[in-house]
Amino acid sequence: MTQAEQPSLLTRPSLLFRLRDWGDNQSWDEFYRLYRRFIRGLALRAGLNHAESDEVVQDVLRNVAKRIRDYEVRENRGAFRRWLMNQTRWRIADKFRQRDRAAVQSDHYQSRDDDHTSDPFENIAEDVTDDFWELEWQKHVLETAMERLARRVPAKHFQAFDLHVRCGQPVAQVAADLGINRPTVYLITHRLKKQLQHEVKRLRDYHS
């Protein structure tokens, strides 16, 4: 069986169900690659440093591993992402609370008149955090799809696609820079657009 004929990790049965087998290293590796950077990016944007953000990733994924066997996929679309979002928010809040405790112990803590909140999302309306999560997820899906596309196609083809579609360079300039003719640039970008759309759809349907 060729690599192209091999079933994708994102095909049925759902990866979430296959994760219940702790010995399925291939599925766990895929899950880690898909979510590590995403969770870490959220932690960094919340204000944690790199080491704390790495700890958040490990804490969240460790909790997923512990609870995935009992997890039931709900009928409402996106249920797992909401559950994962809550896990991430709680772990981020834990890191801020640890900062507070460390500051108290080192006598560098300065008391405030108002109540201090350790959750950077606590005072944000739920629909706003949902919108933020969805936007970050869609950005992550596109970046992941682009990375997978880059690994699957010839380097020059991806470069032509990236220069023309994402960077907005004219076809004539791309053709001249890469030493290929214009019809080839059009053909490459057309084919890769379809492949990218397919990859994005697979990732978006990941939990359906």
Side-chain angles (χ1 to χ4, degrees), residues 99-112 116:
R99 281 186 181 183
D100 292 345
R101 288 195 295 268
V104 169
Q105 293 172 0
S106 62
D107 294 328
H108 291 305
Y109 180 81
Q110 296 181 356
S111 61
R112 301 180 181 179
H116 176 64

Side-chain angles (χ1 to χ4, degrees), residues 89-103:
R89 288 182 57 182
W90 295 333
R91 300 293 84 75
I92 290 172
D94 286 344
K95 293 304 174 185
F96 280 102
R97 282 191 286 270
Q98 288 176 13
R99 281 186 181 183
D100 292 345
R101 288 195 295 268

Side-chain angles (χ1 to χ4, degrees), residues 10 23 40 59 69 83 89 93 96 98 100 102 105 110 118 121 129 131 151 153 157 187 190 198:
L10 298 181
R40 189 174 188 272
D59 290 345
R69 287 185 175 181
W83 180 71
R89 288 182 57 182
F96 280 102
Q98 288 176 13
D100 292 345
Q105 293 172 0
Q110 296 181 356
S118 294
F121 302 107
T129 57
D131 290 344
R151 293 196 297 267
V153 303
H157 288 194
L187 181 60
H190 175 71
H198 177 68

Side-chain angles (χ1 to χ4, degrees), residues 6 129 139:
Q6 291 177 354
T129 57
K139 287 164 56 180

Side-chain angles (χ1 to χ4, degrees), residues 4-18 27 30 148 198-199 202-203 205-206 208:
E5 293 171 336
Q6 291 177 354
S8 167
L9 287 172
L10 298 181
T11 56
R12 303 299 188 269
S14 169
L15 177 58
L16 294 181
F17 284 101
R18 284 185 281 117
S27 294
E30 176 70 9
R148 293 187 175 188
H198 177 68
E199 190 67 49
R202 288 171 60 199
L203 290 168
D205 292 345
Y206 180 58
S208 61

Side-chain angles (χ1 to χ4, degrees), residues 99-153:
R99 281 186 181 183
D100 292 345
R101 288 195 295 268
V104 169
Q105 293 172 0
S106 62
D107 294 328
H108 291 305
Y109 180 81
Q110 296 181 356
S111 61
R112 301 180 181 179
D113 293 334
D114 55 339
D115 292 334
H116 176 64
T117 175
S118 294
D119 186 347
F121 302 107
E122 184 174 353
N123 294 323
I124 304 177
E126 183 175 354
D127 57 342
V128 175
T129 57
D130 286 347
D131 290 344
F132 170 78
W133 175 267
E134 184 64 24
L135 178 61
E136 292 300 314
W137 173 253
Q138 296 303 336
K139 287 164 56 180
H140 174 72
V141 164
L142 181 58
E143 291 173 357
T144 302
M146 287 287 287
E147 289 180 358
R148 293 187 175 188
L149 184 64
R151 293 196 297 267
R152 193 168 61 240
V153 303

